[in-house]
């Protein structure tokens, strides 16, 4: 039990109680995607294209179907064609025509690992044997992996009909450039004319995977009457329902999806891969079908986050005032359009108040798996480039990097390049918190050098539903519909307890399946504690309103004469009469006589998400012989609104920072000349391990979001944005060598150090 | 393929199972015995989510063939709490928010318990290197390391060390 909130305004908010699902998750009792089984289930496996780009001339499944133990084989023929229709998936958008081709290749295989058929059999061993018996006749086509190559006029074109959107007049010829976006503020040309110093650089990043430890898994059971049940590890079971209904021509009400506990997602589990295949196989066989991906399949065919090329140009006055900024972002979409190039462009300069900004982005397809959201999709890539360039500016102006950023920081009233004017934000407070931290005030340890970088993310709201039910004994169940990916049950229960005036452990948060609560948008965009939190607060307010009505009935007074305080109904004033307060338990005991069960409900489309800003400080040392970078000290400061459960807020900052450190130093998709991924496993795709890291210090800067009753801002995504440049800037200051291409892995850095050595010796 | 009959001890209980010669211990625990607390994150011994101990030795159960369990003592996450009482590591992981999604947690707990049995006074560096075989993608390891250090101190009888 916590000692009480450090926030004097609150009793529960700001405390650190045990999470409601804690015992289940430390004992192995919690059931994740692959832990669900049904009697009589079949095992489904996917046949994947070995080619990065090939026409599928024919598929012969007859031998596989004839194998004893095989119950069904499906190919693209088993899924209806879809309209050219864009639908939202969390922070990204997808086209149904593309999704049906991504879950099962139709005319062409567009990346190595692209599904071409799926089998359901009585065992995994037989399913695997059956895959080997499927004969696919491919006509292999030239492939293209790199974005810059894919944009060349003579590049192999993935989609014959793809004419670049956002270009006027439209091109007459198909290309791999799906879309061009542009954002303008002021007059960049005039701004650069005014500049006294201009820095221009080109940067690149590689594709990285979200790296959730739990592979994708789904179990589907389709009945003869058309009703379907699905258990899936997903960030949005309502999205799974919606996508599967479209992809299989079912009503949403025919599909009931239960979100299992989810073993990480970070944006990568906001789309469907296995679910529609499992349902279709279950429909064809009349049996439940379970499907799980191997780690190799996860790498080859799910996620990843894109890589991109970014050109940055920043002009400033000698006092550090930025007068003009440009950037061009070319981003990998994977095999189908829809990279997060829009958010990458919008976030690039959002930390700063700059009068003249010009930003252009390109969404580019190539023979890679279709990208999925990954924590602040797109933003780390543009921030890597912009924040590195700002560091060069600070070095050339001999300014403290935080002072440079303070001089240009966005504040309330700042208009962004994408058109939004900020309400109350905490960029300045976050910079000041980082600057006054013990870390920043102390010198780096001998051998270490320091880097600083900032990051911005919008955060989102969107649709949420919630209900609050009073049990017969007065305890409360709060029901919502967002998978708990990192402790959100605790934050929802804390807000419900605060609002209701009862103890945290009298509130039990439950995540309902799609048939048991109204629609909830995905767990993504840092929206759950903010938006679903607001739905929970409103459902509790509805419950309190109902409680007041019940108390008024018992006391025979007007409901307006009843107030709610400390979990009890009380007379609103002395003129109402003398009545003993009624607790939830007392009201529940008499509920049968006052109108039946006492429940509250809320549903809303939440707007007013408060954007978040982060500033990270990173100390590194570099082994000049090997190019190995060691992070020795790290601090993440962030404007977090109100920290509802501070431990889980800190955890978001720490986890995001470490993912960013991995992105900066080691993680990358490595393709060979044949267009095949060379490192589809955790041994060769090197994510940070405990021995790579120091403690990650956190500074929670609480600048409440004025649009939320408890001041909540999303916190989950900002922390992955600053680390790329924070690490890169530290490396530049440690070595004198500015790395512009990620990751700063030992081979790359040692090569760069070797290349620079003669020059530096000559200097 | 003829099945192999295996007699072993799992979490203190005598257990028998029939397995294929090429089945992993992880698959038998999960699919044959219903002990789904051990997780498969990679199947190649890189993530540690399937960690169990065999006669006290920490292993990835995805790298152990099921027939190898014959006559051994296997301990899994399901055997860590005693009745209603959580192991101090389990309790501390919850108290200190040393998990977010929780998929890696059983593996980290098994590995941490094995560490403290071997080395009751580990340094932070020793904890970090011992747990380097367990991947966590959510927490950045910070709160996991802190929780293990704190439990080690408490088990040594120095609550505020």
């Amino acid at each position: 039990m916590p000692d009480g909130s450090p926030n004097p305004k609150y009793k529960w908010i700001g405390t650190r109680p045990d999470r409601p699902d804690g015992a289940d998750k430390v004992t192995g009792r919690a059931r994740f995607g692959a832990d669900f089984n049904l009697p009589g289930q079949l095992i489904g496996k996917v046949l994947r294209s070995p080619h990065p780009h090939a026409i599928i001339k024919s598929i012969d499944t007859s031998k596989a179907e004839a194998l004893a133990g095989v119950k069904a084989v499906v190919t693209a023929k088993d899924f209806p064609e879809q309209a050219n229709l864009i639908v939202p998936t969390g922070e990204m958008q997808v086209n149904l025509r593309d999704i049906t081709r991504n879950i099962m290749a139709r005319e062409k295989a567009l990346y190595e690992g692209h599904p071409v058929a799926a089998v359901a059999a009585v065992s995994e061993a037989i399913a695997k044997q059956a895959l080997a018996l499927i004969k696919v006749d491919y006509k292999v086509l030239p492939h293209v992996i790199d974005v810059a190559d894919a944009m060349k006029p003579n590049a192999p074109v993935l989609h014959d009909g793809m004419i670049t959107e956002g270009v006027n007049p439209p091109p007459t010829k198909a290309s791999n450039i799906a879309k061009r976006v542009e954002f303008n503020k002021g007059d960049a040309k005039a701004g650069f004319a005014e500049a006294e110093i201009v820095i221009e650089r080109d940067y690149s990043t590689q594709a990285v995977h979200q790296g959730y430890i739990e592979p994708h898994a789904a179990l589907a059971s389709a009945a003869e009457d058309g009703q379907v049940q699905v258990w899936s590890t997903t960030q949005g079971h309502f999205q799974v329902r919606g996508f599967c209904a479209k992809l299989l021509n079912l009503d949403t009400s025919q599909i009931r999806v239960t979100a299992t506990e989810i073993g990480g997602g970070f944006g990568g589990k906001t789309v469907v891969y296995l679910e529609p295949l499992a349902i279709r196989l279950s429909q064809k066989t009349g049996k439940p079908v379970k499907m799980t991906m191997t780690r190799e399949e996860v790498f080859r065919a799910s996620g990843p986050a894109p890589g991109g090329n970014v050109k940055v140009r920043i002009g400033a006055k000698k006092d550090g005032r930025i007068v003009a900024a440009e950037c061009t972002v070319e981003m990998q979409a994977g095999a189908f359009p829809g990279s997060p190039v829009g958010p990458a462009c919008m976030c690039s300069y959002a930390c700063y108040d700059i009068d003249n900004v010009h930003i252009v982005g390109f969404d580019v397809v190539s023979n890679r798996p279709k990208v999925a959201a990954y924590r602040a999709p797109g933003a780390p890539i543009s921030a890597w480039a912009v924040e590195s360039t700002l560091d060069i500016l600070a070095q050339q102006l001999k300014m403290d990097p935080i002072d440079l950023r303070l001089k240009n920081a966005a504040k309330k009233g700042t208009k962004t390049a994408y058109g939004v004017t900020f309400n109350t934000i905490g960029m300045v407070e976050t910079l000041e918190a980082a600057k006054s931290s013990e870390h920043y005030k102390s010198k780096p340890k001998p051998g270490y050098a320091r880097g600083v970088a900032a990051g911005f993310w919008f955060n989102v709201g969107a649709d949420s539903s919630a209900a609050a039910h009073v049990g017969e004994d007065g305890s409360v169940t709060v029901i919502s519909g967002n998978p708990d990916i990192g402790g959100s049950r605790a934050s929802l229960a804390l807000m419900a307890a605060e609002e209701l005036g009862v103890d945290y452990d009298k509130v039990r948060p439950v995540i309902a399946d799609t048939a048991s609560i109204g629609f909830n948008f995905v767990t993504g965009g840092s929206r759950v504690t903010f938006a679903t939190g607001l739905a929970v607060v409103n459902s509790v307010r509805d419950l309190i309103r109902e409680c007041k009505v019940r108390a008024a009935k018992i006391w025979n007074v007007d409901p307006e004469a009843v107030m709610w305080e400390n979990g009890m109904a009380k007379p609103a004033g002395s003129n109402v009469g003398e009545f003993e307060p009624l607790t939830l338990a007392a009201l529940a005991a008499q509920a049968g006589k006052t109108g039946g069960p006492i429940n509250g409900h809320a549903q809303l489309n939440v707007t007013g998400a408060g954007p978040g800003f982060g500033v990270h400080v990173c100390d590194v040392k570099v082994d000049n012989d090997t190019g190995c970078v060691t992070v020795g000290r790290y601090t993440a400061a962030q404007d977090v609104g109100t920290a509802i459960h501070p431990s889980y807020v800190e955890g978001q900052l720490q986890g995001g920072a470490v993912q960013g450190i991995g992105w900066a130093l080691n993680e990358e998709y490595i393709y060979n000349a044949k267009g095949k991924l060379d490192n589809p496993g955790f041994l060769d795709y090197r994510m940070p391990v405990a021995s790579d890291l120091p403690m990650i210090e956190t500074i929670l800067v609480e600048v409440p979001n004025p649009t939320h009753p408890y001041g909540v801002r999303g916190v989950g995504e900002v922390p992955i944005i600053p680390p790329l440049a924070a690490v890169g800037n530290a490396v530049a200051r440690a070595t004198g060598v500015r790395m512009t291409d990620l990751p700063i892995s030992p081979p790359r850095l040692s090569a760069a150090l070797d290349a620079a050595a003669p020059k530096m010796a000559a200097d | 393929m003829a099945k192999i009959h295996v007699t072993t001890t799992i979490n203190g209980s005598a257990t028998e199972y029939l397995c294929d010669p090429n089945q992993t211990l992880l698959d038998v625990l999960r699919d044959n015995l219903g002990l789904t607390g051990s997780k498969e994150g990679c199947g190649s011994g890189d993530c540690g989510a399937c960690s169990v101990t065999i006669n006290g030795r920490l292993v990835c159960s995805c790298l152990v063939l099921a027939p190898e369990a014959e006559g051994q003592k296997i301990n899994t996450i399901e055997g860590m709490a005693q009745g209603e009482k959580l192991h101090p590591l389990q309790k501390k992981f919850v108290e200190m928010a040393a998990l977010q999604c929780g998929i890696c947690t059983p593996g980290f707990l098994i590995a941490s318990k094995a560490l403290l049995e071997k080395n009751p006074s580990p340094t932070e560096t020793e904890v970090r290197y011992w747990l380097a075989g367990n991947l966590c993608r959510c927490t950045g390891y910070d709160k996991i390391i802190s929780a293990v250090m704190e439990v080690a101190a408490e088990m040594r009888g120095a609550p505020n060390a």
Side-chain angles (χ1 to χ4, degrees), chain A residues 309-392:
Chain A
N309 301 323
V310 188
K311 181 187 278 299
V312 167
R313 189 164 170 242
I314 293 176
K317 293 287 192 188
K318 279 186 178 151
D319 66 355
R321 178 75 199 148
I322 300 169
V323 291
E326 285 182 342
C327 103
T328 305
V329 185
E330 301 163 356
M331 193 169 279
Q332 295 166 3
F336 299 95
S339 79
V341 69
C345 290
M346 290 150 87
C347 291
S348 57
Y349 290 109
C351 288
Y352 306 106
D353 189 346
I354 306 171
D355 288 338
N356 306 298
V357 185
H358 174 61
I359 307 165
V360 176
F362 296 95
D363 184 34
V364 184
V365 298
S366 65
N367 295 113
R368 297 165 168 270
K370 174 167 174 44
V371 301
Y374 180 25
R375 225 170 180 153
I381 297 166
S382 54
W384 153 244
V386 166
E387 295 292 318
S388 296
T389 309
L390 287 180
D391 199 54
I392 300 170

Side-chain angles (χ1 to χ4, degrees), chain A residues 20-380:
Chain A
D21 52 336
D24 285 353
K25 287 195 171 151
V26 295
T27 53
R29 191 183 292 109
R31 295 172 79 202
F32 292 82
D35 301 339
F36 282 77
N37 295 289
L38 284 173
Q41 74 187 13
L42 304 172
I43 301 297
K45 293 298 289 179
V46 176
L47 181 69
R48 296 176 184 278
S49 169
H51 307 296
H53 196 190
I55 292 169
I56 300 169
K57 289 160 69 182
S58 65
I59 304 178
D60 180 357
T61 60
S62 56
K63 279 188 181 162
E65 280 162 316
L67 182 68
V70 172
K71 300 298 178 186
V73 181
V74 294
T75 64
K77 284 192 309 223
D78 292 277
F79 298 87
E81 178 61 287
Q82 295 293 326
N84 184 3
L85 181 68
I86 305 272
V87 293
T89 64
E91 292 145 313
M92 315 267 282
Q93 294 196 319
V94 294
N95 188 320
L96 286 170
R97 189 191 55 191
D98 294 339
I99 306 187
T100 197
R101 281 165 175 74
N102 195 40
I103 61 158
M104 194 58 84
R106 280 176 186 256
E107 305 82 5
K108 290 206 283 188
L110 291 165
Y111 55 94
E112 183 216 13
H114 199 163
V116 292
V119 170
V122 294
S123 73
E124 187 179 348
I126 293 172
K128 282 182 180 166
Q129 282 175 44
L131 295 185
L133 295 172
I134 297 173
K135 193 172 173 337
V136 185
D137 191 5
Y138 293 104
K139 183 190 174 199
V140 177
L141 300 173
H143 64 271
V144 61
I145 297 292
D146 184 69
V147 162
D149 292 342
M151 293 175 79
K152 287 179 184 160
N154 59 347
V157 171
L158 273 70
H159 304 283
D160 291 337
M162 205 166 79
I163 300 295
T164 310
E165 285 176 40
V167 178
N168 218 347
T172 51
K173 208 176 136 223
S175 76
N176 293 319
I177 304 169
K179 190 166 73 173
R180 179 184 185 276
V181 294
E182 183 173 340
F183 301 90
N184 284 297
K185 179 189 171 191
D187 181 345
K189 205 173 164 194
F192 278 108
E194 248 184 80
E196 292 165 343
I197 176 169
V198 176
I199 315 277
E200 183 174 337
R201 287 286 189 287
D202 292 322
Y203 301 87
S204 74
T205 72
Q206 298 300 317
V208 296
H209 199 272
Q210 292 80 353
Y212 32 82
I213 308 300
E214 181 201 31
H216 296 268
L219 170 62
S221 182
E224 292 71 9
D225 60 1
Q227 302 300 310
V228 175
Q229 287 207 65
V230 177
W231 292 262
S232 160
T233 172
T234 174
Q235 290 173 245
H237 41 315
F238 290 88
Q239 273 64 30
V240 169
R241 181 183 72 170
F243 283 137
C244 291
K246 290 277 189 197
L247 295 171
L248 297 160
N249 274 351
L250 295 165
D251 293 338
T252 53
S253 61
Q254 286 179 288
I255 308 177
R256 181 177 186 178
V257 185
T258 301
T260 68
E261 294 303 327
I262 174 170
F266 314 106
K269 290 178 182 165
T270 52
V271 287
V272 290
Y273 299 107
L274 300 175
E275 294 86 350
L277 310 187
I279 293 174
R280 194 71 194 93
L281 287 166
S282 181
Q283 286 175 329
K284 283 186 93 168
T285 58
K287 306 273 187 202
V289 175
K290 178 176 178 174
M291 301 182 80
T292 52
M293 284 195 198
T294 63
R295 178 56 52 183
E296 186 176 332
E297 288 178 293
V298 171
F299 273 112
R300 289 197 201 282
S302 77
N309 301 323
V310 188
K311 181 187 278 299
V312 167
R313 189 164 170 242
I314 293 176
K317 293 287 192 188
K318 279 186 178 151
D319 66 355
R321 178 75 199 148
I322 300 169
V323 291
E326 285 182 342
C327 103
T328 305
V329 185
E330 301 163 356
M331 193 169 279
Q332 295 166 3
F336 299 95
S339 79
V341 69
C345 290
M346 290 150 87
C347 291
S348 57
Y349 290 109
C351 288
Y352 306 106
D353 189 346
I354 306 171
D355 288 338
N356 306 298
V357 185
H358 174 61
I359 307 165
V360 176
F362 296 95
D363 184 34
V364 184
V365 298
S366 65
N367 295 113
R368 297 165 168 270
K370 174 167 174 44
V371 301
Y374 180 25
R375 225 170 180 153

Side-chain angles (χ1 to χ4, degrees), chain A residues 640-664:
Chain A
V640 300
T642 302
I644 302 297
H645 190 307
S647 297
Y648 290 104
V649 176
E650 292 161 6
Q652 290 296 317
L653 270 58
Q654 291 163 335
V658 167
Q659 286 183 317
I661 291 170
W663 198 333

Side-chain angles (χ1 to χ4, degrees), chain A residues 400-407 431 434-435 440 452 615 617:
Chain A
D400 174 275
I402 293 186
D403 287 342
L404 173 68
R405 287 168 173 84
L406 273 170
K407 195 164 188 78
L431 284 163
K435 193 178 176 188
Y440 201 70
V452 173
V615 177
V617 181

Side-chain angles (χ1 to χ4, degrees), chain A residues 388-441:
Chain A
S388 296
T389 309
L390 287 180
D391 199 54
I392 300 170
L393 181 63
Q395 284 181 308
Q396 295 202 1
L397 294 174
K398 299 194 167 31
M399 266 183 95
D400 174 275
I402 293 186
D403 287 342
L404 173 68
R405 287 168 173 84
L406 273 170
K407 195 164 188 78
N408 294 286
K411 39 189 101 54
K412 186 173 181 174
T414 294
K415 189 171 183 236
T416 61
Y418 58 92
V420 163
T421 301
F422 286 133
N423 194 339
T424 304
I425 54 169
M427 178 63 182
V428 170
E429 289 86 341
T430 307
L431 284 163
E432 282 169 349
K435 193 178 176 188
S436 61
S437 66
E438 196 273 318
H439 181 178
Y440 201 70
K441 285 196 290 191

